[in-house]
Amino acid sequence: MDPGYSVEDVAPIAILMDELRAEDVQLRLNAIHRVSTIALALGPERARDELIPFLQESVDDEDEVLLALAEELGRDFEQYIGGPEYAHVLLGPLENLCAVEETLVRDKAAESITKVSAALNQAQIEQYYIPLLQRLSHGEWFTSRTSSCPLFAAAYDKVSPPMQDELRRSFAALGTDDTPMVRRAAAKSLGPFVKKFTKQHVVTDGLAIYRRLQQDDQDSVRLLTVEDLIAIAQQLFPAEVNELLLKQIRQTATDKSWRVRYMAAAHFNELAEAVGQDLVREELINHYVQLLKDNEAEVRTAAAGQVPGFAKLLEKEVILARIVPCVRDLCQDNSQHVRAALANQISGLAPLLGKDSTIEHLLPLFLHLLKDEFPEVRLNIISKLDQVNSVIGIELLSESLLPAIVELAEDKSWRVRQAIIEYIPLLANQLGKPFFDEQLGNLCMSWLGDTVYSIREAATINLKKLTEVFGVEWAKVQIVPKVVGMGQHPNYLFRMTTVQAISVIAPSLTLDIVRGDIIDTLLQLANDPIPNIRFNVAKALEILSTAFSDTPDGRQLTQQKIVPVLEALKNDQDADVRFFASRALSKAHEIGGGM
């Protein structure tokens, strides 16, 4: 590795100091990004003795520079200062960064300290890391105390039991801090911390800390305890959850703050899986139904996103009796975001309900959502239709949903049309050739003339995928004549699409089809009056010469037909045409062995 400086050079530290003192923020930022290179040039000893102390004093700077420093020191920086045995040296500057005002800097510094801790042995943890943690957790400014919260989990299982007792007490104190920002940090960090506890300490210490935070008067604290609840429930038996956490589960799901209920809804499946089947049936199903009916659209949106995951934990009869009626109401919800979230998940109910119940209860809802006025709702339902196919079969799908899909294929929103195009190959595979040719063949070709470039591009890729599904003989009859025919169209966009479609699908075809049905049209377009078409022809010819270069006939086609046209294009009046023609010609000569 080249450090950029000679090891003997004494200037790097001076250069860095000068750049870090420069008025230009970008210059100081560049210096920080090169700090590992400079450390390498200085060598481990000088990096420890000179560079790290200098960085430790360089905290009076722009937030952008401090953020970069916090990040650099967490990137295995111990390798530049002598290895893991000296990793604790990095804690000094990172501790200072944990006390700055900017949250992003503090968070990154805490993250880097956690990374550094992985390289520390138990002696280093107890001699250097724990004192740092104590200084931060007892700091006068809330910024230090906030930064200390995520650092407890990393050290906990590396210290002795008496020290673990002390860490739990220190963390508990942060959970009752006077400053809401500190309590928020404690609530956010309790889950990872409590996962390191023994079962006994989860019950005696973790639960007590959680309950205090869960009763906090700030909803910004309470909403962060939802993940703590899950972490604790995961470490208890279902009977213990019922005894120790049932009250908190009820309070969280019915909290007066919609933000807390939103978090409960967004993590409901994790909670349900953690508490056990009995509690799901006896307690959680009621809370989930209430969240699906919540007054706030944000809560209903989050709950709708959990539908199939939660339904997996229920019997079919319960899904039909309790969940499906809510889903039916959500399909009519006033909020498009709720309907979009539901549309993205509702298909997941089909495998759980089976064919008959899906046809009876879900199919009408799919049709309703497919006709929703908002594109995102329609997109989401389309993208998951394969789950429905596997349950009800393509016959019913084609009878019920295909008309709606054809209607959407002409939707005014190009994103909807694009989503339909991407779904077509899967649908084609299930419909079979005759049905596809009759119902969707012309539709696929019509997309090639769409006014939106992204649609035309997606349509050409679609043709390639259809060729892979139905085979080259089908493509020769159904695709190639239509693509070639567009090459004579008076509108240059259609002629351009012909060139691009040939570029995409030709490698999937046989050399005989290319030679007999495609190449002549492409060569004619080399004389098109539009430069964009001519240079795309050059690119297409390069693709063709490469695609069939492994056969003598392919190389012969290149030399006899492709090379002469490229030679002519190489002298085109347009610079772009000349560039792509020269590049393609070089490739063709390379393939032909210099012919």
Side-chain angles (χ1 to χ4, degrees):
M1 179 178 176
D2 180 8
Y5 303 103
S6 64
V7 178
E8 294 79 14
D9 188 0
V10 295
I13 190 70
I15 294 171
L16 177 66
M17 289 177 177
D18 288 344
E19 292 186 356
L20 281 172
R21 295 188 185 108
E23 290 187 12
D24 184 0
V25 174
Q26 190 59 48
L27 202 60
R28 301 201 299 277
L29 193 59
N30 292 342
I32 291 298
H33 286 311
R34 292 203 320 276
V35 73
S36 58
T37 302
I38 294 169
L40 195 64
L42 288 170
E45 188 173 350
R46 288 191 66 200
R48 292 195 304 271
D49 296 343
E50 298 178 46
L51 180 60
I52 297 301
F54 175 71
L55 294 175
Q56 191 164 343
E57 296 170 4
S58 302
V59 293
D60 186 19
D61 207 330
E62 297 287 338
D63 293 334
E64 188 179 7
V65 177
L66 298 181
L67 181 63
L69 176 58
E71 189 170 7
E72 290 294 332
L73 293 179
R75 290 180 171 172
D76 298 322
F77 204 84
E78 63 271 11
Q79 64 181 308
Y80 303 111
I81 59 171
E85 63 183 295
Y86 295 103
H88 61 273
V89 173
L90 300 173
L91 297 177
L94 288 170
E95 179 180 353
N96 289 349
L97 292 171
C98 279
V100 303
E101 191 173 344
E102 173 54 46
T103 304
L104 288 175
V105 177
R106 296 201 309 271
D107 289 348
K108 183 58 69 174
E111 181 185 323
S112 291
I113 287 177
T114 302
K115 290 178 180 177
V116 170
S117 71
L120 303 177
N121 57 37
Q122 183 175 351
Q124 288 172 305
I125 289 283
E126 295 187 352
Q127 186 175 354
Y128 301 104
Y129 189 97
I130 297 300
L132 172 148
L133 187 51
Q134 291 171 337
R135 288 192 298 271
L136 289 175
S137 61
H138 294 90
E140 183 178 354
W141 293 100
F142 80 89
T143 53
S144 298
R145 303 198 299 279
T146 300
S147 297
S148 72
C149 292
L151 304 181
F152 281 80
Y156 188 77
D157 50 6
K158 289 188 176 182
V159 297
S160 62
M163 185 60 70
Q164 290 181 342
D165 295 341
E166 177 59 32
L167 289 179
R168 292 195 304 276
R169 285 193 292 270
S170 295
F171 193 92
L174 293 169
T176 58
D177 196 276
D178 293 336
T179 308
M181 284 78 83
V182 177
R183 300 199 302 277
R184 276 206 299 271
K188 186 176 181 180
S189 302
L190 177 59
F193 188 35
V194 84
K195 287 179 180 179
K196 301 289 186 77
F197 289 8
T198 62
K199 178 75 162 292
Q200 177 188 349
H201 291 137
V202 170
V203 175
T204 58
D205 296 78
L207 204 54
I209 300 170
Y210 160 71
R211 283 173 174 162
R212 283 195 296 272
L213 291 168
Q214 198 262 342
Q215 296 287 340
D216 199 277
D217 59 356
Q218 299 278 328
D219 66 350
S220 61
V221 175
R222 297 199 305 278
L223 67 87
L224 292 169
T225 63
V226 173
E227 293 181 74
D228 301 334
L229 170 61
I230 294 167
I232 292 172
Q234 287 171 339
Q235 293 181 263
L236 300 176
F237 293 120
E240 294 170 320
V241 172
N242 195 15
E243 178 186 350
L244 301 172
L245 289 174
L246 186 55
K247 180 182 176 182
Q248 283 71 38
I249 291 172
R250 290 171 175 168
Q251 288 175 340
T252 297
T254 59
D255 196 279
K256 62 183 179 182
S257 168
W258 73 265
R259 296 203 298 164
V260 179
R261 300 197 305 277
Y262 170 86
M263 287 295 284
H267 293 86
F268 210 84
N269 290 348
E270 293 175 75
L271 178 61
E273 290 171 2
V275 302
Q277 283 281 355
D278 290 342
L279 205 56
V280 167
R281 286 192 293 266
E282 295 166 10
E283 188 75 30
L284 262 62
I285 179 65
N286 297 323
H287 294 306
Y288 185 61
V289 167
Q290 289 307 307
L291 290 171
L292 287 171
K293 297 178 178 180
D294 198 272
N295 292 330
E296 296 293 334
E298 288 85 351
V299 178
R300 298 196 301 276
T301 300
Q306 305 283 299
V307 164
F310 184 69
K312 287 178 183 176
L313 305 175
L314 305 172
E315 294 83 1
K316 178 180 174 180
E317 294 73 20
V318 178
I319 298 173
L320 289 170
R322 303 297 304 277
I323 303 299
V324 170
C326 294
V327 168
R328 193 176 295 117
D329 292 340
L330 292 175
C331 285
Q332 311 281 347
D333 199 275
N334 292 330
S335 168
Q336 70 185 81
H337 302 295
V338 174
R339 300 197 304 275
L342 180 68
N344 198 38
Q345 300 293 336
I346 189 173
S347 299
L349 289 175
L352 304 176
L353 295 180
K355 182 175 181 178
D356 293 340
S357 295
T358 295
I359 295 170
E360 181 182 353
H361 298 285
L362 296 185
L363 205 52
L365 303 182
F366 294 147
L367 287 169
H368 179 79
L369 292 169
L370 271 171
K371 296 175 182 177
D372 197 278
E373 61 180 316
F374 286 97
E376 188 179 357
V377 178
R378 302 193 297 262
L379 286 176
N380 288 349
I381 200 76
I382 291 162
S383 66
K384 299 293 180 68
L385 279 179
D386 56 313
Q387 293 177 298
V388 185
N389 294 348
S390 63
V391 175
I392 69 173
I394 196 62
E395 295 81 9
L396 273 171
L397 179 75
S398 60
E399 289 173 17
S400 305
L401 299 180
L402 202 57
I405 290 174
V406 172
E407 183 181 332
L408 290 171
E410 300 170 354
D411 194 275
K412 62 183 179 181
S413 169
W414 69 267
R415 289 178 67 236
V416 175
R417 299 199 300 275
Q418 187 172 31
I420 290 288
I421 293 171
E422 291 170 357
Y423 180 72
I424 285 295
L426 174 63
L427 200 58
N429 195 34
Q430 296 164 330
L431 289 170
K433 291 180 190 178
F435 191 93
F436 179 85
D437 290 342
E438 180 183 344
Q439 299 288 337
L440 295 175
N442 290 333
L443 190 63
C444 288
M445 297 309 299
S446 71
W447 283 320
L448 292 171
D450 199 280
T451 55
V452 177
Y453 172 77
S454 295
I455 298 298
R456 298 196 301 273
E457 183 182 38
T460 60
I461 295 171
N462 179 51
L463 295 181
K464 179 182 179 181
K465 291 180 178 177
L466 289 173
T467 300
E468 293 168 356
V469 171
F470 291 148
V472 293
E473 289 305 316
W474 173 87
K476 179 180 179 180
V477 174
Q478 298 293 334
I479 292 180
V480 172
K482 296 172 184 175
V483 169
V484 168
M486 290 172 61
Q488 308 298 324
H489 202 283
N491 187 325
Y492 89 94
L493 287 177
F494 284 82
R495 303 198 301 277
M496 176 75 81
T497 302
T498 291
V499 177
Q500 292 171 333
I502 289 172
S503 299
V504 172
I505 65 172
S508 299
L509 302 174
T510 63
L511 178 60
D512 287 341
I513 294 174
V514 170
R515 187 166 46 195
D517 300 284
I518 287 177
I519 191 69
D520 290 339
T521 296
L522 193 60
L523 297 180
Q524 288 171 13
L525 288 169
N527 298 314
D528 198 278
I530 305 296
N532 275 14
I533 292 180
R534 297 199 301 276
F535 80 64
N536 274 284
V537 167
K539 291 162 71 174
L541 291 173
E542 180 180 350
I543 291 171
L544 288 182
S545 62
T546 305
F548 300 103
S549 63
D550 56 344
T551 65
D553 287 347
R555 291 192 291 272
Q556 184 181 32
L557 177 69
T558 297
Q559 298 308 316
Q560 290 181 354
K561 289 203 168 187
I562 293 178
V563 168
V565 173
L566 291 175
E567 290 282 5
L569 290 175
K570 190 175 70 169
N571 299 315
D572 195 277
Q573 60 185 4
D574 185 88
D576 289 332
V577 177
R578 294 196 300 272
F579 170 79
F580 287 108
S582 298
R583 190 181 74 176
L585 196 58
S586 174
K587 191 73 174 179
H589 284 319
E590 180 184 322
I591 291 168
M595 291 174 58

